[in-house]
Amino acid sequence: MEILDEFDINIIKELEKDGRMAYSAIAANLKISNTMVHQRINRLMEQGILTGIKPVINEKKVGYDWGSFTGITLNKDQDSDRIIEELKKIPEITECYYITGSFTLYIKIIAKDHEHMRKVLYEKIDTIPGIAKTDSIIELGCAFKRNVSL
């Protein structure tokens, strides 16, 4: 069974253009019923294909000029669930990934300036028991960011 059909893909593409678009406008653009759009979006959310329709914030426009990608080495990899729960409590961490290679976890941090970044790294992250070390790469700007092509 195919997970996404042509209607699902087209609805998602309309939402990518403008996540605030009314279901009736999507229906009119795609020449389908408003009910069908509503049912399809609900199904996509129930299946976890769409995880929500959220605003995309330009961090730099709201005062967060620094970003880093930080690898985290743990003392014991089996502590990752507990450490991830602690990382979730730090609002400057916007993404967290399990990875292979030298690190156990890879996170994205945003900060207002270099002093804010230092405090996040040294006073918040490095104080979590079980973290052996961090290694950060400073982000100089996002060339592009997009969803996977459907």
Side-chain angles (χ1 to χ4, degrees):
M1 183 177 112
E2 204 172 294
I3 295 173
L4 298 175
D5 64 15
E6 183 180 338
F7 293 111
D8 295 327
I9 291 169
N10 289 331
I11 290 168
I12 291 169
K13 286 180 178 180
E14 289 293 312
L15 288 171
E16 283 184 320
K17 291 178 200 172
D18 180 1
R20 299 178 305 160
M21 186 180 289
Y23 290 175
S24 58
I26 294 171
N29 290 349
L30 299 178
K31 298 178 177 44
I32 57 178
S33 74
N34 190 18
T35 302
M36 182 178 186
V37 171
H38 192 338
Q39 289 173 341
R40 293 292 183 118
I41 290 173
N42 284 343
R43 183 178 52 78
L44 292 168
M45 291 182 89
E46 286 170 8
Q47 292 176 333
I49 294 169
L50 286 179
T51 58
I53 300 170
K54 306 171 191 170
V56 177
I57 297 171
N58 181 335
E59 291 119 356
K60 298 210 183 303
K61 296 274 187 185
V62 294
Y64 288 84
D65 288 330
W66 279 63
S68 80
F69 298 96
T70 301
I72 299 177
T73 303
L74 305 182
N75 291 326
K76 296 178 184 176
D77 286 349
Q78 62 261 33
D79 288 342
S80 62
D81 288 342
R82 178 186 55 78
I83 291 169
I84 288 167
E85 288 307 310
E86 292 301 313
L87 293 171
K88 285 180 182 178
K89 296 175 184 176
I90 302 171
E92 294 90 349
I93 298 174
T94 59
E95 299 174 48
C96 181
Y97 299 92
Y98 296 104
I99 61 167
T100 62
S102 302
F103 307 109
T104 305
L105 302 170
Y106 212 64
I107 60 174
K108 171 78 189 272
I109 305 169
I110 60 162
K112 294 180 179 182
D113 53 36
H114 74 279
E115 181 63 17
H116 185 195
M117 182 66 72
R118 185 194 66 74
K119 285 182 178 183
V120 172
L121 286 166
Y122 295 165
E123 297 175 16
K124 293 182 179 183
I125 295 171
D126 284 351
T127 62
I128 297 172
I131 291 182
K133 76 174 208 146
T134 60
D135 190 2
S136 295
I137 300 168
I138 298 299
E139 172 237 318
L140 298 175
C142 181
F144 68 90
K145 187 174 182 177
R146 62 180 170 207
N147 288 326
V148 66
S149 181
L150 300 177

